[in-house]
């Protein structure tokens, strides 16, 4: 109940911070960027007589809200299932599915200010989706006994400073091509690391995580066969806790860690995540499974808690810098996120640990290579292969 109260208070804080932002300041900045853009109907131009689209920009993309709703369900499901890739999938939606990436890139030479304004909007919109999914997932995993809250809290404490500093220093200064190139680079590097973890050399470092995952899968198999088992009783139990060492058990396997490590990791991860406009779950999950040695079944819920705190801080910081979002799109997506996030924790227990990891790796390689090509070479993978 304490965690529920804390998350509810955090959401209220975020809402109040957003309401406190003077809308006129944001609108004036967008209006100025539009006025500085050449008039016309070609790429990189704005037709003042065209119907308002994204952010109210004349001739801007008209996002299909039905499509946005179903894409948000997918985003909520995958984040709540693996504790990561929610922000990445949200970014794919905004950048590729809704066409905002190409639209922002069209102003690269004609209106750099509008290019950066739309890029910032994409970054924050990603975080709104990931933040709500993290809130729902945190509550669900806590109820299922699959959240190591001392680890999540330590990560969250470290993430607050990084999530505040990066938006303050970079809002309005990042072009779309730079953004998408680095977005892809980080995702690809993580995919490579996760692939290494599947090798015999990488597996040696994860004996306890594997043991706990096998115990969890065996218990769930017995439960599906009809046996009555209280899985919550076998979930995470904190045995001892001090500033130097925290000890807990999960399905009979004991784990321990130094809390200073996740605090430092939280700061570094949150700084990268805030720059990319994502939650950081795709970095947190490898950190938790590789550095902290948690099984994937615990990494998802624990990652969600850390992502929630980091995103609340980052969104607040971006909005205070005057970044704008398209509220009809955000509202529609948040409803879809809730639906997808409610399903994920209940379906993930039926998917083996190896399958979750392989899904993660495949997505990382595809997204990483494709977006790097777009950002650094100016074409996506398909364009490079087939001309």
């Amino acid at each position: 109940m304490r965690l529920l109260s804390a998350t509810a208070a955090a959401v209220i804080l975020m809402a109040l911070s957003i309401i406190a932002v003077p809308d006129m300041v944001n609108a004036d900045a967008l209006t100025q960027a539009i006025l500085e853009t050449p008039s016309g109907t070609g790429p990189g131009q704005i037709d003042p007589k065209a119907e308002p689209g994204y952010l109210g920009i004349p001739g801007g993309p008209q996002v299909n809200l039905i499509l946005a709703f179903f894409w948000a369900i997918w985003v909520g499901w995958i984040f709540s299932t693996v504790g990561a890739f929610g922000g990445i999938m949200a970014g794919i939606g905004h950048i590729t599915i809704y066409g905002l990436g190409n639209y922002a890139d069209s102003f690269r030479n004609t209106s750099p200010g509008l290019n950066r304004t739309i890029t910032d909007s994409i970054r924050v919109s990603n975080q709104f989706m990931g933040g709500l999914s993290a809130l729902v997932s945190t509550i669900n995993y806590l109820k299922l006994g699959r959240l190591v809250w001392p680890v999540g809290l330590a990560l969250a404490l470290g993430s607050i400073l990084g999530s505040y500093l990066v938006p303050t220093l970079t809002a309005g200064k990042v072009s779309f091509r730079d953004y998408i190139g680095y977005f892809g680079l980080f995702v690809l590097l993580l995919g490579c690391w996760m692939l290494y973890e599947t090798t015999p050399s990488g597996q040696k470092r994860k004996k306890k995580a594997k043991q706990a995952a096998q115990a969890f899968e065996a218990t769930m198999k017995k439960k599906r066969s009809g046996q009555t088992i209280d899985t919550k009783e076998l979930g995470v139990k904190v045995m001892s806790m001090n500033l130097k060492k925290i000890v807990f058990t999960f399905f009979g396997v004991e784990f321990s860690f130094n809390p200073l490590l996740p605090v430092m990791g939280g700061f570094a991860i949150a700084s990268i995540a805030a720059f990319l406009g994502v939650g950081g779950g795709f970095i947190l999950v490898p950190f938790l499974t590789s550095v902290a040695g948690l099984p994937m079944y615990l990494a998802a819920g624990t990652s969600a808690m850390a992502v929630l705190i980091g995103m609340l801080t980052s969104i607040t910081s971006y909005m205070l810098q005057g970044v704008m979002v398209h509220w009809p799109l955000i509202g529609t997506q948040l409803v879809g996120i809730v639906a997808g996030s409610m399903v994920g924790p209940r379906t993930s227990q039926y998917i083996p640990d190896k399958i979750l990891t392989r899904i993660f790796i495949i997505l990382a390689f595809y997204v990483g290579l494709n977006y790097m090509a777009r950002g650094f070479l100016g074409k996506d993978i398909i364009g490079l292969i087939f001309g």
Side-chain angles (χ1 to χ4, degrees), residues 98-344:
Y98 312 148
L100 301 181
N102 286 338
Y103 185 64
D105 202 31
S106 70
F107 297 108
R108 179 166 175 255
N109 296 318
T110 58
S111 181
L114 193 56
N115 175 298
R116 292 191 290 267
T117 296
I118 299 170
T119 300
D120 284 343
S121 178
I122 292 172
R123 295 160 79 186
V124 179
S125 297
N126 297 344
Q127 293 201 310
F128 265 101
M129 295 179 71
L132 182 61
S133 181
L135 171 63
V136 177
S137 298
T138 298
I139 296 171
N140 282 332
Y141 278 113
L142 181 65
K143 290 179 179 177
L144 294 171
R146 290 166 55 190
L147 192 158
V148 191
W149 64 265
V151 179
L153 186 60
L155 284 167
L157 287 174
S159 73
I160 290 175
L161 181 59
S163 298
Y164 173 76
L165 282 180
V166 171
T168 303
L169 296 173
T170 67
K173 300 174 183 174
V174 180
S175 72
F176 177 73
R177 285 203 177 181
D178 288 340
Y179 166 63
I180 197 171
Y182 287 113
F183 190 105
L185 176 61
F186 280 109
V187 174
L188 181 62
L189 290 175
L190 283 162
C192 292
W193 177 256
M194 293 295 285
L195 183 61
Y196 163 75
E197 291 290 315
T198 64
T199 65
S201 176
Q203 287 294 309
K204 286 182 182 177
R205 302 172 63 251
K206 302 172 65 177
K207 282 186 178 178
K208 283 193 173 181
K210 188 175 181 181
Q211 186 181 350
Q214 289 174 340
F216 177 78
E217 290 172 5
T219 303
M220 296 312 300
K221 188 175 181 181
K222 291 178 182 176
K223 188 176 181 180
R224 287 196 292 273
S225 68
Q227 294 187 37
T228 304
I229 301 174
D230 187 354
T231 53
K232 192 173 181 180
E233 280 299 309
L234 295 171
V236 174
K237 291 187 182 302
V238 179
M239 308 306 291
S240 65
M241 186 167 55
N242 57 53
L243 291 177
K244 294 182 178 179
K245 187 177 182 180
I246 295 176
V247 180
F248 69 93
T249 62
F250 178 66
F251 276 69
V253 181
E254 184 175 294
F255 296 85
S256 65
F257 66 95
N258 184 328
L260 288 178
L261 185 62
V263 170
M264 292 187 291
F267 171 74
I269 292 169
S271 298
I272 295 171
F275 176 80
L276 299 177
V278 298
F282 66 103
I283 313 175
L284 282 165
V285 170
F287 178 84
L288 291 170
T289 57
S290 302
V291 180
L294 299 187
M296 184 67 87
Y297 294 111
L298 292 180
T302 307
S303 167
M305 180 180 175
V307 167
L308 172 62
I309 303 300
M311 279 200 164
L312 290 173
T313 307
S314 182
I315 290 171
T316 302
S317 185
Y318 271 121
M319 298 301 281
L320 290 174
Q321 295 300 313
V323 174
M324 295 185 70
V325 295
H326 193 68
W327 289 112
L329 175 60
I330 292 291
T332 301
Q333 290 178 321
L334 293 184
V335 176
I337 287 289
V338 171
S341 300
M342 294 300 290
V343 176

Side-chain angles (χ1 to χ4, degrees), residues 180-181 183-189 192 362-377 379-382 384:
I180 197 171
F183 190 105
L185 176 61
F186 280 109
V187 174
L188 181 62
L189 290 175
C192 292
I362 292 170
L363 291 173
F365 271 81
Y366 174 75
V367 173
L369 289 172
N370 198 44
Y371 281 11
M372 279 179 62
R374 286 191 64 182
F376 298 140
L377 302 176
K379 288 185 177 180
D380 58 24
I381 291 291
I382 300 299
L384 287 174

Side-chain angles (χ1 to χ4, degrees), residues 68-114:
F69 173 73
F70 284 104
W71 185 259
I73 291 177
W74 158 247
V75 173
W77 181 86
I78 195 165
F79 180 82
S80 60
T81 298
V82 301
F85 266 105
I88 300 292
M89 285 296 126
I92 292 172
H94 292 123
I95 293 168
T96 302
I97 305 296
Y98 312 148
L100 301 181
N102 286 338
Y103 185 64
D105 202 31
S106 70
F107 297 108
R108 179 166 175 255
N109 296 318
T110 58
S111 181
L114 193 56

